[in-house]
Amino acid sequence: MPHLDPFTVPEFHLPFENSKDPGADRANAEATAWAVERGLIEAEASEQFAGIGFGHLAARVDRGAPYERLLLLAQWMAWSFVLDDQHDLLIRAGRVDDWQPLSDAMARHVSGAPADPAPAGPAPAKAADPAPANAAGDPARANPLVASFAELCDRILAGMSPLIQARYRRHVPRMLRSLDEEAANRRPGHRPAVEEYVLTRRHSSQLLPMMDMVEADQGVEVPDGADAAPELRELLWSAVDVISWGNDVFSLPKEYSCGDTNNLAALLADWHGLTLPDAVRAVEGRIRDRVEEFLAASRALPAALDALGVTDPAARTAVRHRVRCYEEWMAGTDLWQRHDCTRYRDERFAAGLEAAYTRPDLVSVA
């Protein structure tokens, strides 16, 4: 990878407004306490973990939601950061095979499939700790990362309509598979093509399940006919790309320090012989172009819905609300990274070290 010369995070072209729900601080503190109680992080470093600001991010993208749903989104976000850190730890420790049983258990749970049958043989005389009820027959489900996922997943689905449930059930397994793709990208000597990486990043960002949650909380229910419209789908990808590429700039020092090539700036530098500051400016240009494409697609959307025969006023209102949610996501994530989040400024993290709150034994805990 090129030398990491100092660079300044640009002020990205994001002509959208955003404000925070007043429940941000409370949600951040309660989601942190939940992560400690579930054994996901080291309690001694809970203050550092809280500095990620997941409650503030939730409050920026889900403003006005009932507090219990805002908290649930903050807890899911907290869990997702632990997931990301644990997956990274396994890759760097050469233990990526340990990830698959956990990923499989989570995919089975969100699909509603039963756990794998218990292995044949006599039961142990006494278990060290009682496994949660949903862990029966599937040892991976006793892991805190999987058990907390199952808890959150059940609560999330309970607050969704069948239409949004179906989308969430599709998006979570695809998100999990994308982490396998990113692990493959980090094989020695391998570098993904830029466009290949962009497609993977749309899912490894973990945005799609969270966007489903926000739509459910905000009462946004876009019918399948409109949801499948290419014009609306392109608006989604524009928003996800803008968010993901901006995050790649903020997280570049950390990913550079541990040789992670899953970063748009690093790949542009590598493929095109750019310095990293020049690559960051190239990412800024791509974000500007993508935002302009988003704005053009937004203006063209009413005519596209007419052409599709989507005339129901409720459906068209839901589409408008979805587009507004995308705008909140783009502006909110940028403001969160600049003002509410210490994750990408933490010296240990930027040096490629594990955060103090990370449990190195978490995946091996049964």
Side-chain angles (χ1 to χ4, degrees):
M1 295 175 70
H3 182 69
L4 182 58
D5 293 320
F7 67 91
T8 300
V9 175
E11 292 290 337
F12 298 118
H13 173 57
L14 298 169
F16 311 114
E17 296 181 357
N18 181 263
S19 59
K20 264 197 289 188
D21 189 278
D25 285 325
R26 179 183 170 195
N28 203 67
E30 293 186 5
T32 300
W34 173 86
V36 172
E37 290 166 2
R38 298 305 184 273
L40 295 174
I41 65 168
E42 298 287 1
E44 298 78 9
S46 60
E47 183 176 349
Q48 185 198 49
F49 185 67
I52 296 173
F54 25 77
H56 294 272
L57 177 56
R60 286 193 179 278
V61 300
D62 206 9
R63 181 168 47 92
Y67 177 74
E68 64 273 12
R69 302 302 294 180
L70 181 70
L71 174 60
L72 181 57
L73 178 60
Q75 290 169 331
W76 174 267
M77 289 175 168
W79 174 86
S80 75
F81 283 110
V82 174
L83 175 78
D84 186 66
D85 290 345
Q86 288 292 325
H87 190 254
D88 181 67
L89 186 152
L90 292 177
I91 292 171
R92 290 197 277 172
R95 294 175 51 209
V96 73
D97 288 348
D98 293 350
W99 159 253
Q100 202 59 52
L102 277 67
S103 178
D104 290 346
M106 289 186 278
R108 282 193 298 271
H109 186 89
V110 74
S111 73
D116 285 347
K126 181 180 179 181
D129 292 295
N134 64 3
D138 190 345
R141 293 201 184 197
N143 182 278
L145 194 62
V146 180
S148 55
F149 165 83
E151 173 200 334
L152 292 174
C153 184
D154 291 348
R155 290 163 56 201
I156 289 165
L157 289 168
M160 289 177 164
S161 69
L163 185 71
I164 302 179
Q165 281 182 359
R167 293 170 188 164
Y168 176 84
R169 290 184 191 275
R170 290 196 304 269
H171 290 153
V172 171
R174 181 64 186 90
M175 174 197 84
L176 295 170
R177 290 199 306 274
S178 72
L179 298 182
D180 296 332
E181 294 166 9
E182 288 205 337
N185 287 343
R186 292 172 68 174
R187 298 190 307 271
H190 180 77
R191 63 174 178 176
V194 170
E195 294 313 313
E196 172 191 349
Y197 165 73
V198 166
L199 295 177
T200 293
R201 187 73 168 100
R202 289 175 175 179
H203 299 282
S204 66
S205 67
Q206 305 191 43
L207 286 166
L208 297 191
M210 290 189 279
M211 287 178 166
D212 294 332
M213 293 176 67
V214 170
E215 290 194 9
D217 293 349
Q218 298 292 326
V220 177
E221 187 150 331
V222 177
D224 282 336
D227 181 67
E231 294 82 2
L232 190 53
R233 186 64 35 171
E234 188 55 32
L235 277 167
L236 166 65
W237 296 136
S238 293
V240 170
D241 289 346
V242 165
I243 297 165
S244 301
W245 301 347
N247 178 257
D248 282 358
V249 172
F250 282 98
S251 63
L252 178 57
K254 183 262 183 185
E255 285 155 6
Y256 174 90
S257 68
C258 61
D260 186 354
T261 57
N262 291 294
N263 184 291
L264 181 59
L267 284 173
L268 289 174
D270 202 20
W271 280 106
H272 300 292
L274 303 175
T275 66
L276 284 178
D278 285 343
V280 167
R281 285 189 284 272
V283 173
E284 180 186 11
R286 284 183 173 231
I287 288 174
R288 174 174 288 276
D289 292 344
R290 210 67 175 107
V291 169
E292 289 301 320
E293 290 165 0
F294 178 91
L295 294 171
S298 297
R299 291 190 294 268
L301 192 55
L305 294 176
D306 289 341
L308 286 167
V310 180
T311 58
D312 178 56
R316 294 178 75 104
T317 297
V319 168
R320 287 196 300 273
H321 286 174
R322 173 182 281 185
V323 173
R324 177 58 189 148
C325 285
Y326 292 161
E327 294 173 356
E328 295 271 5
W329 272 102
M330 287 187 281
T333 51
D334 183 75
L335 291 170
W336 160 71
Q337 289 170 128
R338 292 180 191 277
H339 304 296
D340 305 322
C341 176
T342 62
R343 178 176 174 85
Y344 307 113
R345 299 191 297 272
D346 181 271
E347 290 183 2
R348 285 179 56 89
F349 211 63
L353 303 172
E354 302 303 332
Y357 54 76
T358 301
R359 289 188 59 186
D361 64 338
L362 183 61
V363 168
S364 63
V365 172

